[in-house]
Amino acid sequence: MLIANVRIVLPTMVIERGWLRIEGEHIAAFDEGDAIVGAMPLIEGRGLTLIPGMIDLHGDMLEREIEPRLGADFPIDMAIFELDKRLAATGITTAYAALSFWDHDSHDNTRRLDTVRLMTEHIHQLRSQLLIDLRVHARFEVSTPVVSPMLGDLLETGQIELLSLMDHTPGQGQYRNIERYVTSMSRWRRIPRDHVEEELDQRLAQAGSLEERWALARDIAVLATEMGLPIASHDDDTSAKVDLVATLGATIAEFPVTLEAAQEARLRGMSIVMGGPNALRGVSHSGNLSAREAVAAGLVDCLATDYHPGTLLHAAFGLAREGITDLPTSIGMVTAGPAAALNMAEHGRIAPGLRADLCLVEDGRLPRMRGTIRNGTPIYWDNVMWERASRG
């Protein structure tokens, strides 16, 4: 496949008009100027921007795909196939489904241990049939030790590709403001505040001390390290918390909730992840650190979908359009940055010999995904791309 007359975003520069040739599953060559048209299929890229396929290292969407409303459950395999199509259409070629190993939320079916195991198993069983490369990101809630045996088993059998360590005990981290926590939970779950306060009292009584909560995390982190997996921390709020997770082997800082935590993560050479929704909206929905503030301070390496897959594309192009950063840098936050954090050497950049995971974007008032290619094969192709392919 030959893509001609296209704007190409590279790690440090933009080719305003160039071409790229795909052979098999890999990028064969690219350059600026006119392409030498041969026998291979030609795609006219005029007016389109070519970027690497986007990599999402933290997306919570599978849980909501299975249970979009409380008590309304759908089959796991159906949810995976439907999410797969949606991610391909947004230009995400590799996604880490963030599954919650967290036994507090008995009201949420997708966070019960039996459901989480089934979700993990289904992803691995269906992987070869999917459009994108879907992987498992295990979110280990350290305050719920009951989940550790099952998580350890899944780690040992190679069914987890990324581990994150998180502590959502109210009073610290993301929920350091107790009043905001009670208000948020009451609105989200649509239950009275006194019910949330009663549950909170029970939870705090069971949580144990900070040292107790994190003792078990050390064993899980050691196992993940032995399996060669990257480890992320989650919602760090202080330098001390970053110091703690770094000693456990964490090399990724997900969604630091304060500037202090982000700065400490940078000093330690950790890859810093902020949410695409936060970067697009310019504000955290929970009142934490603004992703735009962190980007402006040079404290962001990656953007993740968090709870909305469409935000990666719009946030990356929006940051550049508003002059907060340049286009190669912002595109790198959804491609090269995650690839480096996850040790995916063949992904995230446009270079000869790397995987032909690519996106064709119409960059107008709002960027529109026109075509997504994974391993050299189109997995999403809209009417514009079909017309251009037919003319070619």
Side-chain angles (χ1 to χ4, degrees), residues 53-56 61 84 87-95 132-133 305 309-310 312 359 369 372 379:
M54 293 188 288
I55 301 168
D56 178 26
M61 292 78 66
D84 177 50
L87 295 179
T90 60
I92 295 170
T93 52
T94 302
I132 72 161
D133 181 6
T305 62
L312 284 195
C359 298
M369 190 60 58
T372 307
I379 58 173

Side-chain angles (χ1 to χ4, degrees), residues 61-62 64-66 68 74-90 126 129-132 134 309:
M61 292 78 66
L62 182 55
R64 298 283 68 81
E65 200 76 40
I66 293 170
F74 290 90
I76 294 174
D77 52 357
M78 168 188 158
I80 291 173
F81 280 123
E82 293 304 316
L83 178 62
D84 177 50
K85 290 188 295 184
R86 187 148 58 102
L87 295 179
T90 60
L126 299 175
Q129 303 174 50
L130 301 180
L131 300 171
I132 72 161
L134 186 63

Side-chain angles (χ1 to χ4, degrees), residues 61-75 79 107-110 112 188-190:
M61 292 78 66
L62 182 55
E63 294 177 344
R64 298 283 68 81
E65 200 76 40
I66 293 170
E67 192 179 20
R69 291 190 178 181
L70 193 62
D73 299 338
F74 290 90
H107 63 278
D108 190 338
N109 182 50
T110 61
R112 297 185 183 125
W188 177 49
R189 294 170 54 193
R190 298 182 180 180

